[in-house]
Every structure is written in structure tokens, then in C-alpha cells.
Amino acid sequence: MVIILLLGNSLLLYVTRGNKKALGRLAFQFVVTVLSLIMIALAPGNSVRKVKEIHWLPLFPTLSPFKKIELGISSTLDHFFFSFDVLATILVILLFAFYINQKGRYKIPRTVFYIPVLFSVIFWFKDTLIGKIYPGLKKMGGAVTIYGTDISLANLQSILPDLLLIVVSCIVLLGIFSSGNSKRMWLVMVAMLLGLISRIMMGFSPTIWASGERTFLFLYEALIFGCFYLYDQIEKKKEYQILTHILIGIGGLAFCVILYTV
């Protein structure tokens, strides 16, 4: 969280560099954040907790920095594209709906936005009859283990899961980036990138799986922000007013699921 605050404050310092009043407050926050980062990095409890929590990933000390980054990326994107996630599905559907009758700033083929929707939905059926008909679907869906994917530059097939996850996520980010040139779009992009960083950084912690859904907290908030942004971009068109009813229905269903879970 401190890293996110540091990046966010740095960006705000750059944006408000002409506003002396705001600059003073942000400079104070920046200094406090830096001091917090130093305190956390030098805290003597770090080594104690590392010894206590290493049982979650016994081989964690043997992982290279590259492998830890790969673990963070694959475990993050797998959660949204190789496993059905309602929020990610809503985001990619809204993105697809935006580009059906509109053009972005860049000449991106509209058919490209079928890909994230397909990935967000198809892996929902990997454990059904479809998964038996297409065994590669289930194999791909289970490619990410507690240590990430078994990636090897000597084996091109092992690179495929990471490559597909990165390509799909880049399509989503590029689609949002091409949707306009407003301040809101830039704010959404920054929020999405910081949300991704906040989860990918968990690859450097042996508690990446032990912490469960909590590790996705900031990223989920960024995705919700992206959903509101895209919905606001398309809700004025009459042909998309049905989206309001669909999203209200999904929201009601999600609320019922939460009540049942609690």
C-alpha cells in the first residue's frame, strides 16, 4: 500500500506542480509515505514473520526475482481470465459494448474485444462437458499452480498461459486507453495500473495465497472504477439502456450471494 501511495503522490505532485497550496500538502504526504516505507523496510519483525509464514510456500526462498514477478502476474490474471469472475466479466462486456458502435482514438479492430469476453466466460465451463470435449481448456485453466506457471524459455508451450493472460489484459487496458482523452480516462488508467501493481507485488511474499481475496482489494476497487467509467460512456445511447437492467439484476444476484455466504 505504501508503494501505491508513493506512486500516487508522485503523480499528484507532477500534476499539481503549479498549485503552491496543494503542492505543500502533497509534499508533506510524500515525505510521510517515504518515512513509512523506510520504517516498514527496516522493521525487525520482517525476518521473524518471514520464518513464521514461509510454510505457505516452502520453496519461496529458491524463487528468482523473475519467477516472483511471474508468480504475481500469473496468479493475478488467472483469477480474472482462467477462472470466472463476475466483476471482470462485467468490465469486458461493457468494453465490448462501448466499441460495437463507437470508434476509439486508435484504429483497433472491434473484433479484438471479443477475445477478453471469450476468455472471461469460456473458462467458467472448463469443469463441464465442454471441458471434456476440449481437454486443453481444463489444462490451460489449471496451468497456474501455487508457484505460478511452469514457464521455461526452452519450452514454447509453457509460455502460452502467461502470454495469453498478458495479451488479454493488454487488450482491456488498450481499449480503456483508446476510449477517450478525458481526465477521467487517465484517472481510470492510473487506478487500473496501480491496482495491478498492488496484486502483482504479492509475488514477493510467501503469503500470496494465504491472504486470499484480500490481496485483490485495491485491484477490485480499480475494476469497479473502470466499470462505472465505461458504463457512463455508453449509458446515454438508447440501444444500451438494457444494460442498466442487466447490471441491476447482476447486482441483486451478487447481494443475495453475499447474504447466503455470510
Side-chain angles (χ1 to χ4, degrees):
M1 187 166 64
V2 171
I3 295 295
I4 293 174
L5 288 172
L6 191 62
L7 292 172
N9 284 332
S10 299
L11 179 65
L12 289 173
L13 279 171
Y14 175 76
V15 172
T16 60
R17 60 188 182 277
N19 188 333
K20 293 183 179 180
K21 186 177 180 180
L23 197 62
R25 293 197 300 268
L26 289 171
F28 176 75
Q29 292 178 15
F30 182 82
V31 171
V32 171
T33 304
V34 171
L35 293 175
S36 298
L37 181 61
I38 294 172
M39 182 187 73
I40 292 169
L42 300 179
N46 288 339
S47 57
V48 176
R49 184 168 186 211
K50 185 176 180 180
V51 173
K52 184 179 179 181
E53 301 290 352
I54 201 67
H55 70 277
W56 294 105
L57 286 177
L59 299 180
F60 184 79
T62 66
L63 301 181
S64 65
F66 170 78
K67 186 56 183 173
K68 290 176 181 177
I69 293 174
E70 189 281 325
L71 172 59
I73 292 174
S74 61
S75 63
T76 300
L77 300 181
D78 168 78
H79 183 80
F80 295 107
F81 296 114
F82 283 174
S83 302
F84 181 76
D85 182 86
V86 174
L87 190 56
T89 302
I90 292 174
L91 179 70
V92 296
I93 289 175
L94 287 172
L95 186 66
F96 174 70
F98 175 83
Y99 281 100
I100 287 178
N101 291 318
Q102 298 186 61
K103 292 183 179 180
R105 289 189 296 159
Y106 306 106
K107 295 181 179 180
I108 306 173
R110 292 170 183 172
T111 52
V112 167
F113 298 103
Y114 278 106
I115 300 174
V117 176
L118 181 65
F119 268 78
S120 294
V121 175
I122 195 171
F123 283 95
W124 192 15
F125 303 98
K126 65 184 178 184
D127 295 321
T128 65
L129 180 61
I130 295 177
K132 294 180 179 179
I133 298 174
Y134 301 100
L137 189 66
K138 191 170 184 178
K139 184 178 179 181
M140 183 73 72
V144 180
T145 67
I146 60 171
Y147 290 102
T149 61
D150 190 20
I151 188 171
S152 172
L153 296 178
N155 184 359
L156 293 179
Q157 189 176 4
S158 69
I159 301 174
L160 190 59
D162 284 291
L163 182 62
L164 287 174
L165 288 170
I166 291 173
V167 168
V168 173
S169 59
C170 285
I171 290 173
V172 174
L173 290 174
L174 182 60
I176 294 175
F177 184 70
S178 180
S179 64
N181 195 25
S182 64
K183 291 181 179 179
R184 286 190 301 165
M185 183 277 295
W186 285 102
L187 195 58
V188 169
M189 282 297 300
V190 171
M192 295 278 281
L193 290 172
L194 290 178
L196 279 170
I197 292 171
S198 72
R199 181 54 179 73
I200 291 172
M201 284 179 61
M202 286 301 299
F204 289 88
S205 170
T207 63
I208 182 172
W209 300 108
S211 300
E213 295 290 329
R214 290 179 296 163
T215 60
F216 290 91
L217 179 61
F218 296 110
L219 181 51
Y220 269 130
E221 291 176 355
L223 290 176
I224 291 170
F225 197 13
C227 287
F228 275 117
Y229 166 75
L230 289 172
Y231 178 73
D232 188 57
Q233 294 289 92
I234 64 178
E235 61 103 11
K236 295 178 182 178
K237 291 184 173 290
K238 291 183 179 180
E239 58 266 32
Y240 293 131
Q241 288 182 354
I242 190 173
L243 277 174
T244 301
H245 304 289
I246 293 174
L247 294 176
I248 290 174
I250 293 174
L253 179 62
F255 181 71
C256 292
V257 170
I258 291 172
L259 287 179
Y260 178 77
T261 304
V262 174

